[in-house]
Amino acid sequence: GENVEQHPSTLSVQEGDSAVIKCTYSDSASNYFPWYKQELGKRPQLIIDIRSNVGEKKDQRIAVTLNKTAKHFSLHITETQPEDSAVYFCAASKGYSTLTFGKGTMLLVSP
Amino acid sequence: KAGVTQTPRYLIKTRGQQVTLSCSPISGHRSVSWYQQTPGQGLQFLFEYFSETQRNKGNFPGRFSGRQFSNSRSEMNVSTLELGDSALYLCASSPLSDSRETQYFGPGTRLLVL
């Protein structure tokens, strides 16, 4: 089955810095790659996603890049703010509505 | 539109008991997926239902089962509870059973097994 590796497990940055989280997947048939943000005690919320026919997608301070050949995708957050502090999960999907998640990255943005 | 809702939000059970959790998807969504979230294993896929049929199943024992009703609401059942079943159970809905559809999560049911 699909396997998704996510790095780093924790990331501490200063407010205003950029943050990058990387994921690799194993199944070349995966065609959808969402990123979810989960604050403490809350549900995962989709922040951005990318489909396999696109190499890059940007939404304000957040961007995702996908390299299908290398089977990896990354989340880039620019101009980080304290409210960006949360756990971020990458995921990969193929076939049905089934997400395989990475283990998560705890992002801490210090003022 | 109202979001995905789950009931109950919190549940305490003892080993050996069984439990049923409920999920109501976003109106118009026909696919419901269930996930187990624990600190050690992260988010793991349990199963997915679409049009009352199980489309896909994760690597969990047969004690975990589910069903979907004609109005797309879904339930999952865990029989003979074990301590290791303590977790946050999340359901997610999407319009279709398609990997490229965005899944929207409910608030989860936090289950504690004593």
Side-chain angles (χ1 to χ4, degrees):
Chain A
E2 174 68 280
N3 183 50
V4 177
E5 300 281 343
Q6 183 172 347
H7 299 280
S9 57
T10 58
L11 180 58
S12 293
V13 300
Q14 292 292 122
E15 183 177 0
D17 288 349
S18 295
V20 180
I21 303 171
K22 299 182 179 181
C23 290
T24 60
Y25 61 99
S26 60
D27 193 333
S28 56
S30 289
N31 58 8
Y32 175 63
F33 307 91
W35 287 86
Y36 286 87
K37 175 184 179 182
Q38 188 175 30
E39 298 175 359
L40 192 63
K42 302 276 186 71
R43 72 186 77 189
Q45 298 266 22
L46 179 78
I47 55 170
I48 196 167
D49 58 10
I50 192 166
R51 291 170 175 80
S52 58
N53 58 345
V54 176
E56 184 173 358
K57 184 177 177 181
K58 189 174 182 181
D59 182 4
Q60 298 182 38
R61 296 186 296 111
I62 295 173
V64 57
T65 58
L66 171 65
N67 184 326
K68 286 190 295 182
T69 303
K71 289 189 282 188
H72 68 71
F73 55 114
S74 301
L75 177 71
H76 304 253
I77 306 174
T78 59
E79 301 171 24
T80 54
Q81 301 165 3
E83 50 266 38
D84 293 330
S85 297
V87 179
Y88 291 80
F89 292 95
C90 64
S93 180
K94 67 180 178 76
Y96 303 119
S97 292
T98 303
L99 293 171
T100 301
F101 285 91
K103 293 291 190 188
T105 296
M106 181 176 291
L107 174 64
L108 177 62
V109 181
S110 303
Chain B
K1 283 185 182 176
V4 180
T5 58
Q6 292 185 245
T7 57
R9 294 293 310 279
Y10 304 93
L11 210 47
I12 300 176
K13 293 287 187 178
T14 56
R15 278 181 300 174
Q17 287 187 310
Q18 75 166 16
V19 67
T20 299
L21 314 181
S22 180
C23 172
S24 292
I26 292 170
S27 177
H29 285 195
R30 294 165 59 193
S31 171
V32 174
S33 298
W34 288 89
Y35 297 86
Q36 181 195 65
Q37 186 173 26
T38 59
Q41 298 299 317
L43 279 153
Q44 292 187 288
F45 170 75
L46 281 156
F47 28 66
E48 185 224 350
Y49 285 88
F50 178 77
S51 292
E52 302 177 65
T53 301
Q54 187 180 90
R55 286 297 189 95
N56 202 5
K57 189 177 191 308
N59 189 26
F60 279 81
R63 299 185 297 107
F64 292 81
S65 63
R67 59 177 175 169
Q68 187 180 35
F69 302 94
S70 58
N71 62 358
S72 295
R73 189 178 70 84
S74 177
E75 290 182 346
M76 68 163 280
N77 183 276
V78 188
S79 62
T80 320
L81 284 165
E82 300 177 359
L83 296 179
D85 297 333
S86 294
L88 179 66
Y89 290 89
L90 293 157
C91 74
S93 77
S94 59
L96 299 172
S97 178
D98 187 314
S99 61
R100 295 160 296 178
E101 292 280 353
T102 298
Q103 291 190 39
Y104 298 91
F105 282 85
T109 294
R110 188 165 295 280
L111 172 65
L112 177 61
V113 182
L114 301 174

